[in-house]
Amino acid sequence: MNESSAASKTRMQKVLDVVERVGNRVPHPAVIFLILIAIVIGLSHVMFVTGTSVSYEAIVPKIAEAQSDAAKLLDDGGLTVEYRAIDAKDYKIERREVAARSLLTREGVRFIYASLIPNFMGFTAVGLMIVAMVGAGVAEESGLVKALIRKLVIVSPRGALTYILAFVGIVSSIGADAGYLVLIPLGGAAFLSLGRHPLAGLALGFAAVAGAFTVNMLIKPLDAVLVEFTNDAVAMVDPGKSIGLTANLWFSIASVVVLTFLIGFVTERMIEPRLGVYEGEKPEEGGATLSADESRGLRYAAVGMVALLAIFALLTLPAGAPLRNPDTGELIGNSPFMNGLIALIMAAFLVTGTAFGVGARTITSLTGVIKAIEKAISGLGGLIFLLLIISQFVAYFNYTNMGTIMALKLSDMLKASNIGPLPLLIGFIVVVAIIDLLITGAIAKWAIFAPIFVPLLVRLGVDPEAVLAAYRIGDSPMNAITPLNAYFALVVGFAQKYDKQAGVGTVVSLMLPYVGWLFIVWTTLFVGWYLLGLPWGL
């Protein structure tokens, strides 16, 4: 039995090695996306000439003034911030027909020519990264990040660090995309500080942040829109039925616990053994304790954080505070505080990084702070160029309606299969996962799928909470291997910091074991939950 298991592991390692070699032989990611743009342009014209189209029911805004924001929502390229521009309650179900649009017609050529800058400026990942790096650059340059990691290593049991990072990565989705910018590089640096392979830390962070993005132990802004879309779809067959924000809370909490241990297990038993011993630059010796300057810097940073939190408490906690929703008074959900959460993250790094630098004597003037910011942002040059290309591809792909047509064709096939509720739910998870390779936005896909599958499954006696839980599973794991994830290129860049030869193939080969096991274990949890009739939430 042990020999069979060892042989199976060896075969899997060989497969992953082949994936890595093949993946790293492909051209530069910018060249790949230029090729994909050419393919989309050609294929869009073929589909247009052949009259490819599909009709469906979609969730759209009730009010005309929300139309421009809705366009962003339904064309969501994987960025979870777009939905916050409008209130989820202002939607309705509408019958629509979508036809393929060619990029080689007069209208298509005009779009290509005129949308270059809007496509790039509307690609929110660029702004998020630049703003985050304003604070992160100071924290890195002052030495705060290294000191915090060493402190974390000192106070955490060595065997628990992997699971702590996995848990923090999963719950970081409360801050939208901040986990991509903070937790993933933190994982790599933390592993390196322990003499472990930093690529394993990066993979751990990416799997936790992207692969379990739709669940949390807390209610987050994304939940408000997903729930409202579900209710609008339920109303098509049962106007008296609806679900609340906490409809998936128990399943989400259980998912966080299970996925935390799963991601940690895959990291330690599969990813690290395959990577072997790290041969790159090792951490400095003698770092088992913090120096007096570092300890003083951490105390200053703690004082700075307390002061910052006190300021934000005044801006958020009192009734009528400026960062609460001016109409409803809510703080969590559609509020200025949650919509601009990246500003708090930037300020936290900036304030604590500067305070640490003053205390540790690594920053002695305001000029030093500015230089740290400049250094951090200048390092984003190559990534910003790549995102310029990716933003055009995403915009062209959305313009052609190819993703919507493919999603609806697959969903029609599944709906016509005439199988039972549970097999249909599992098939639904698979279809969502396949489409996630092309349409990464959780909201954009649910706007399409909810009116199709929620009424169908409710008629079969399935609770809408179960349909939404199934969608959460299908939507998440593929985020870790699709190059259309706005942050995939960023992770490749992080990997190249530790391995100059790392490329797309490296990241995909690292993430495939996570993706496979996330689907197997998470779907098994879902099936068990469904069969036992456990409550999905409050």
Side-chain angles (χ1 to χ4, degrees), residues 197-233:
H197 206 297
L199 290 184
L202 290 178
L204 162 69
F206 195 19
V209 173
F213 189 82
T214 53
V215 291
N216 207 298
M217 287 193 162
L218 303 170
I219 301 300
K220 56 183 182 178
L222 174 65
D223 295 324
V225 180
L226 295 182
V227 166
E228 192 63 32
F229 281 14
T230 305
N231 285 333
D232 286 342

Side-chain angles (χ1 to χ4, degrees), residues 83-84 167-176 212-227 244-257 260 331-333 337-338 341 468 472 536-538:
Y83 71 88
R84 299 175 187 151
F167 174 77
V168 174
I170 294 173
V171 299
S172 71
S173 62
I174 190 69
F213 189 82
T214 53
V215 291
N216 207 298
M217 287 193 162
L218 303 170
I219 301 300
K220 56 183 182 178
L222 174 65
D223 295 324
V225 180
L226 295 182
V227 166
L245 276 177
T246 58
N248 281 161
L249 183 60
W250 299 138
F251 181 71
S252 291
I253 291 174
S255 296
V256 170
V257 174
T260 294
L331 180 62
I332 303 301
F337 173 70
M338 294 304 298
L341 197 58
L468 181 55
R472 294 179 190 274
W536 299 96
L538 292 174

Side-chain angles (χ1 to χ4, degrees), residues 19-20 23-24 26-29 32 483 488 492 496 502-509:
V19 170
E20 180 175 4
N24 287 343
V26 300
H28 188 280
I32 294 174
F488 186 88
V492 175
Q496 290 173 342
V504 172
T506 302
V507 175
V508 171
S509 66

Side-chain angles (χ1 to χ4, degrees), residues 56-60 70 73-75 91-94 96 225-226 229-230 233 408 441-452 471:
Y56 70 107
E57 290 177 322
I59 298 174
V60 297
L73 172 72
L74 297 176
D75 288 342
Y91 291 94
K92 64 179 180 180
I93 304 294
E94 183 176 281
R96 289 186 164 187
V225 180
L226 295 182
F229 281 14
T230 305
L408 291 166
I443 298 164
K445 287 196 300 295
W446 195 226
I448 295 171
F449 283 126
I452 298 171
Y471 177 74

Side-chain angles (χ1 to χ4, degrees), residues 34 51 55 84 128 131 156 184 187 190 211 223 348 355 359 404 441 491:
L34 287 173
S55 61
R84 299 175 187 151
L128 284 172
V131 170
S156 300
I184 296 175
D223 295 324
T404 302
V491 177

Side-chain angles (χ1 to χ4, degrees), residues 456-535:
L456 171 65
L457 286 159
V458 167
R459 289 192 192 101
L460 294 175
V462 178
D463 292 331
E465 295 94 327
V467 188
L468 181 55
Y471 177 74
R472 294 179 190 274
I473 298 171
D475 176 71
S476 294
M478 286 294 189
N479 292 332
I481 59 172
T482 173
L484 293 188
N485 183 336
Y487 296 101
F488 186 88
L490 181 67
V491 177
V492 175
F494 288 150
Q496 290 173 342
K497 175 181 177 182
Y498 301 109
D499 181 359
K500 300 300 182 184
Q501 305 302 316
V504 172
T506 302
V507 175
V508 171
S509 66
L510 286 173
M511 303 315 300
L512 277 175
Y514 291 108
V515 173
W517 282 107
L518 281 170
F519 270 122
I520 293 171
V521 174
W522 206 353
T523 302
T524 301
L525 175 66
F526 173 84
V527 170
W529 205 283
Y530 178 87
L531 292 175
L532 291 173
L534 299 176

